[in-house]
């Protein structure tokens, strides 16, 4: 009996030992596989968040409102616009910096006015014309994962738009599920972790950070560890299993840790049940795990299909936008030409008067020359012929000026003397001004004022402003127009009249808005002129004088040698030369 009892005890001990070792190994492997699958899901969420955030700077850098704010130094609505964008796209923060590195708009209004010129996301974005990624610490000591891109207009970097990805939200979700998770960058430094004390350390340094256990805790740990497999590491004084996965982004790695508590609980449950119960439980566990993973895989596949469909729609929208931009450019050129032809129609009466006077004088000179030749006074007749030749040259100059103005302007810009364009516009308007009682004073400097522009389109802008001034002073007792050309850091052309002024300055440059009577104007002249000046990198503004009258001012950048360039169509990259 003793031998039988001893045999039973020995057999029981052997069975318990073998069963414990075998089940411990099996459940440890299951936990490791589950940990690897969970790491794959975490990596997918991390990549998805980074990819989603990477698109945002590209879209915001092309936002006309932000570009206009940087151009005009008007940031009154910039922060509100960024806050609305943050709510729509769910990112950590958005900030807009000007070319000097000063924060001019941010979702966190406390940052407005701060200087970020030394931050990596600003420096790298200004060096590159593409979206750049950087990791830096904010004022609170937490890591910021920022995508930034330079805001470029007319080939010039106006500032930087920076968007911070909300990766701390992923940290919080990991902490509620896993025991410990850490993301390391390419240098081995921990940049994301559920353990706040690990941030900024290497993995070996982080694993050494733990509190000293008490004697009871050490005794409990010794009795718990002898039944487990040799642990990979210790976290917080507890033996853990370590798994490592590669993150396909800038050489990052993800390391996750799981305790052996769940393994020990399942092994004890199996040892306390019948063999049949253990088999059923094990089968049910594997079935549940496999089903959950199938659900996750199906969800990932659906998400991938949605992303592909979204990508296709974006490509179609981009193609449609390019086509619309081309058609809009053609329509703008047609409207500009129509505006010039309308101006030529109004000036035709004055031009015919200008041509009739030389024709009448030529008839008189020819009659006198005929009499002189009949009387044998050929030398005096030659003088009459010379006067006729001068009159022909004058008529030719008038027609050449009209033909030059009537042709279509091009997209190419070249150095143009602003004074010559103003003089040519005054010559075109001379017949209308001569036949009226309007006093025109002009202040044009002697020195050249060179700007980058298309001469024909620039003359069209000045003529439109002069025509509007003439119409504005028709009803005045003492009509007067003052034309001034000046240059400082930029070139300026100012047209001032003593008319009644402009009633609605906000709608002044909108197409088809006019204060003239039906049939006297289309409302396109100022809208076209504003678009032309914007193409040259300048701006057209208007305001009313305190004593009455309106002032229209054209502001253009001065031409500097070595910066000559041609405007090109952004849709196809082909340079358009002037006709």
């Amino acid at each position: 009996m003793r031998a039988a009892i001893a045999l039973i005890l020995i057999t029981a001990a052997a069975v318990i030992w073998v069963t414990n070792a075998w089940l411990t190994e099996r459940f440890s492997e299951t936990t490791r596989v589950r940990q690897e699958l969970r790491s794959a899901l975490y990596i997918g969420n991390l990549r998805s968040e980074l990819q989603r955030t990477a698109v945002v700077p590209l879209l915001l850098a092309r936002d006309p409102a932000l570009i206009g704010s940087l151009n005009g130094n008007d940031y009154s609505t910039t922060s509100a616009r960024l806050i609305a964008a943050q709510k729509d796209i769910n990112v950590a923060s958005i900030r807009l910096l000007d070319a000097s590195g000063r924060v001019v708009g941010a979702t966190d209004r406390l940052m407005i006015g701060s200087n970020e010129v030394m931050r990596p996301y600003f420096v790298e974005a200004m060096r590159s014309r593409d979206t750049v990624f950087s990791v830096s610490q904010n004022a609170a000591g937490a890591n910021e994962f920022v995508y930034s891109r330079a805001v470029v207009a007319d080939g010039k970097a106006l500032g930087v738009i920076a968007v911070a990805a909300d990766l701390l939200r992923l940290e919080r979700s990991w902490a509620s599920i896993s025991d410990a998770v850490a993301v390391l960058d390419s240098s081995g430094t921990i940049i994301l972790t559920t353990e706040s004390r690990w941030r900024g350390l290497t993995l070996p340094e982080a694993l050494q950070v733990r509190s000293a256990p008490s004697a009871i805790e050490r005794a409990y740990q010794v009795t718990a560890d002898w039944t487990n497999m040799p642990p990979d590491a210790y976290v917080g004084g507890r033996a853990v299993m370590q798994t490592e996965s590669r993150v396909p982004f800038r050489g990052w790695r993800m390391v996750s840790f799981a305790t052996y508590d769940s393994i020990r609980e399942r092994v004890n449950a199996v040892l306390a049940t019948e063999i049949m119960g253990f088999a059923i439980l094990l089968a049910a566990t594997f079935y549940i795990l496999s089903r959950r993973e199938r659900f996750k895989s199906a969800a990932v596949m659906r998400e991938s299909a949605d992303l592909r469909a979204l990508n296709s729609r974006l490509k179609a929208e981009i193609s449609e936008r390019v086509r619309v931009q081309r058609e809009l450019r053609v329509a703008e050129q047609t409207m500009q030409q129509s505006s010039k032809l309308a101006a030529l129609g109004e000036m035709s009466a004055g031009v015919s008067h200008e041509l009739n006077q030389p024709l009448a004088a030529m008839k008189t000179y020819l009659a006198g020359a005929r009499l002189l030749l009949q009387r044998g006074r050929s030398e005096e007749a030659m003088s009459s012929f010379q006067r006729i030749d001068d009159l022909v040259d004058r008529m030719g100059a008038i027609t050449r000026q009209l033909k030059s103005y009537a042709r279509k302007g091009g997209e190419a810009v070249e150095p143009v003397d602003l004074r010559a364009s103003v003089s040519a516009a005054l010559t075109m308007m001379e017949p209308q001004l001569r036949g009226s009682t309007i006093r025109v004073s002009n202040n044009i400097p002697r020195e050249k004022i060179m700007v980058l522009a298309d001469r024909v389109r620039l003359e069209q802008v000045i003529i439109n402003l002069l025509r509007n001034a003439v119409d504005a002073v028709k009803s005045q007792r003492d009509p007067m127009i003052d034309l001034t050309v000046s240059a400082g850091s930029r070139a300026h052309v100012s047209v001032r009249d003593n008319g009644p002024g402009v009633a609605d300055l906000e709608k002044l440059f909108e197409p088809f808005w006019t204060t003239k009577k039906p049939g006297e104007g289309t409302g396109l002249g100022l809208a076209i002129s504003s678009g032309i000046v914007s193409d040259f990198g300048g701006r057209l503004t208007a305001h009313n004088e305190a004593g009455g009258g309106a002032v229209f001012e054209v502001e253009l950048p001065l031409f500097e040698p070595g910066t000559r360039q041609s405007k090109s169509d952004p849709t196809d990259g082909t340079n358009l030369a002037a006709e």
Side-chain angles (χ1 to χ4, degrees):
M1 187 175 293
R2 290 180 180 178
I5 293 174
L7 181 60
I8 292 173
L9 292 175
I10 293 172
T11 304
V15 169
I16 292 174
W17 181 272
V18 172
T19 302
N20 176 74
W22 182 77
L23 292 179
T24 300
E25 182 179 359
R26 173 65 63 87
F27 286 138
S28 297
E29 184 63 22
T30 302
T31 303
R32 188 179 298 276
V33 171
R34 181 186 298 176
Q35 196 71 10
E36 291 174 354
L37 292 175
R38 186 176 295 165
S39 297
L41 178 61
Y42 291 166
I43 291 172
N45 293 337
L46 179 62
R47 288 194 63 197
S48 177
E49 182 69 21
L50 290 172
Q51 291 172 353
R52 184 176 65 84
T53 308
V55 182
V56 178
L58 177 62
L59 299 178
L60 293 181
R62 298 178 179 178
D63 188 353
L66 298 183
I67 295 175
S69 298
L70 291 172
N71 273 324
N73 292 328
D74 182 9
Y75 310 109
S76 57
T77 61
T78 302
S79 295
R81 189 175 186 87
L82 296 181
I83 291 172
Q86 180 192 23
K87 293 180 180 178
D88 293 337
I89 58 182
N90 192 21
V91 294
S93 65
I94 307 175
R95 67 201 69 161
L96 178 66
L97 295 83
D98 61 13
S100 65
R102 183 172 62 90
V103 178
V104 296
T107 54
D108 184 4
R109 296 184 183 272
L110 296 177
M111 297 189 64
I112 296 177
S114 61
N115 196 303
E116 307 285 335
V117 69
M118 300 303 295
R119 288 298 187 97
Y121 65 79
F122 177 80
V123 176
E124 294 176 10
M126 291 295 287
R127 291 176 181 172
S128 173
R129 288 296 187 267
D130 203 351
T131 303
V132 297
F133 177 81
S134 60
V135 181
S136 60
Q137 286 189 345
N138 57 19
N143 287 332
E144 275 191 329
F145 305 85
V146 181
Y147 279 99
S148 57
R149 187 182 183 93
V151 180
V152 180
D154 296 331
K156 179 182 177 182
L158 305 178
V160 170
I161 186 74
V163 181
D166 189 8
L167 300 187
L168 298 181
R169 175 172 53 85
L170 298 180
E171 276 189 351
R172 292 189 293 269
S173 64
W174 297 343
S176 63
I177 299 174
S178 299
D179 295 308
V181 179
V183 177
L184 294 76
D185 61 13
S186 57
S187 64
T189 303
I190 297 176
I191 56 177
L192 274 175
T193 178
T194 56
E195 299 288 332
S196 58
R197 295 180 299 173
W198 291 3
R199 192 171 291 110
L201 304 177
T202 62
L203 188 59
E205 293 172 347
L207 294 177
Q208 291 177 1
V209 178
R210 54 181 177 177
S211 58
S214 63
I216 296 176
E217 290 175 341
R218 287 197 300 270
Y220 174 80
Q221 193 64 47
V222 170
T223 57
D225 288 345
W226 77 271
T227 56
N228 296 327
M229 298 179 63
D232 297 332
Y234 285 88
V235 175
R238 303 173 66 184
V240 293
M241 179 188 302
Q242 175 180 331
T243 58
E244 182 173 331
S245 303
R246 186 179 66 87
V247 180
F249 180 78
R250 303 173 69 92
W252 288 7
R253 292 176 295 146
M254 176 177 286
V255 180
S256 58
F257 302 91
T259 62
Y260 290 93
D261 294 345
S262 60
I263 299 174
R264 190 70 261 155
E265 291 171 0
R266 282 190 287 175
V267 171
N268 293 338
V270 171
L271 294 177
T273 61
E274 298 289 338
I275 299 300
M276 186 62 70
F278 166 76
I280 295 174
L281 179 61
L282 188 61
T285 302
F286 278 104
Y287 171 77
I288 293 172
L289 290 175
S290 62
R291 185 175 180 180
R292 190 170 71 176
E293 294 306 322
R294 283 200 304 271
F295 287 157
K296 291 181 181 179
S297 178
V300 171
M301 292 178 64
R302 286 195 300 270
E303 184 179 355
S304 300
D306 292 341
L307 289 175
R308 286 194 294 270
L310 177 60
N311 188 32
S312 300
R313 289 197 299 271
L314 287 176
K315 289 181 179 178
E317 290 177 2
I318 291 172
S319 300
E320 181 65 17
R321 182 174 181 179
V322 169
R323 184 187 64 80
V324 170
Q325 286 179 343
R326 290 176 179 172
E327 294 179 354
L328 180 60
R329 187 171 294 276
V330 174
E332 288 177 350
Q333 292 178 350
T334 304
M335 290 171 61
Q336 293 173 12
Q337 186 68 8
S338 300
S339 177
K340 287 195 294 184
L341 295 178
L344 286 172
E346 292 183 10
M347 291 186 286
S348 61
V351 172
S352 64
H353 177 71
E354 287 290 312
L355 294 179
N356 284 335
Q357 285 183 345
L359 287 173
M362 289 169 62
K363 187 174 181 180
T364 302
Y365 287 137
L366 285 173
R370 186 182 298 112
L371 292 175
L372 291 173
L373 289 175
Q374 290 175 356
R375 296 176 182 178
R377 298 162 64 180
S378 58
E379 292 183 359
E380 296 181 16
M382 290 300 295
S383 176
S384 297
F385 289 138
Q386 180 61 43
R387 292 190 183 96
I388 293 172
D389 185 60
D390 294 339
L391 291 173
V392 170
D393 290 340
R394 179 182 175 187
M395 294 170 63
I398 295 174
T399 56
R400 279 195 304 273
Q401 186 69 22
L402 285 174
K403 185 167 66 175
S404 174
Y405 179 70
R407 72 185 180 90
K408 286 184 67 175
E411 289 289 327
V413 296
E414 59 184 359
V416 176
D417 188 356
L418 185 58
R419 303 176 309 154
S421 296
V422 173
S423 298
L426 286 172
T427 302
M428 293 292 294
M429 292 295 296
E430 183 179 357
Q432 289 180 269
L433 298 173
R434 183 180 298 172
S436 64
T437 60
I438 303 173
R439 291 189 298 111
V440 179
S441 63
N442 60 76
N443 184 11
I444 302 177
R446 297 182 179 180
E447 298 80 9
K448 288 185 177 181
I449 301 177
M450 303 302 294
V451 296
L452 273 177
D454 175 57
R455 181 180 60 81
V456 175
R457 299 171 70 198
L458 181 57
E459 291 175 9
Q460 178 182 358
V461 172
I462 301 172
I463 289 174
N464 281 340
L465 298 180
L466 289 173
R467 287 173 58 206
N468 286 342
V470 170
D471 292 338
V473 300
K474 281 182 179 179
S475 60
Q476 300 300 312
R477 179 177 299 177
D478 185 18
M480 182 179 63
I481 298 176
D482 184 14
L483 179 63
T484 303
V485 180
S486 61
S489 59
R490 295 167 73 89
H492 297 268
V493 178
S494 175
V495 179
R496 187 190 313 268
D497 62 68
N498 63 344
V502 180
D504 194 343
L505 290 172
E506 294 184 358
K507 296 183 179 180
L508 186 60
F509 298 105
E510 293 183 3
F512 304 108
W513 185 87
T514 178
T515 58
K516 299 178 182 177
K517 298 179 180 180
E520 295 184 0
T522 61
L524 293 175
L526 289 178
I528 292 173
S529 299
S530 179
I532 292 174
V533 175
S534 296
D535 289 343
F536 297 156
R539 62 175 181 172
L540 173 60
T541 58
H543 65 272
N544 292 322
E545 290 280 83
V551 179
F552 289 83
E553 186 169 345
V554 177
E555 180 181 331
L556 294 171
L558 292 172
F559 166 71
E560 298 179 3
T563 62
R564 179 174 178 174
Q565 58 184 356
S566 293
K567 300 283 285 184
S568 60
D569 190 345
T571 59
D572 56 11
T574 305
N575 289 334
L576 301 175
E579 292 184 4

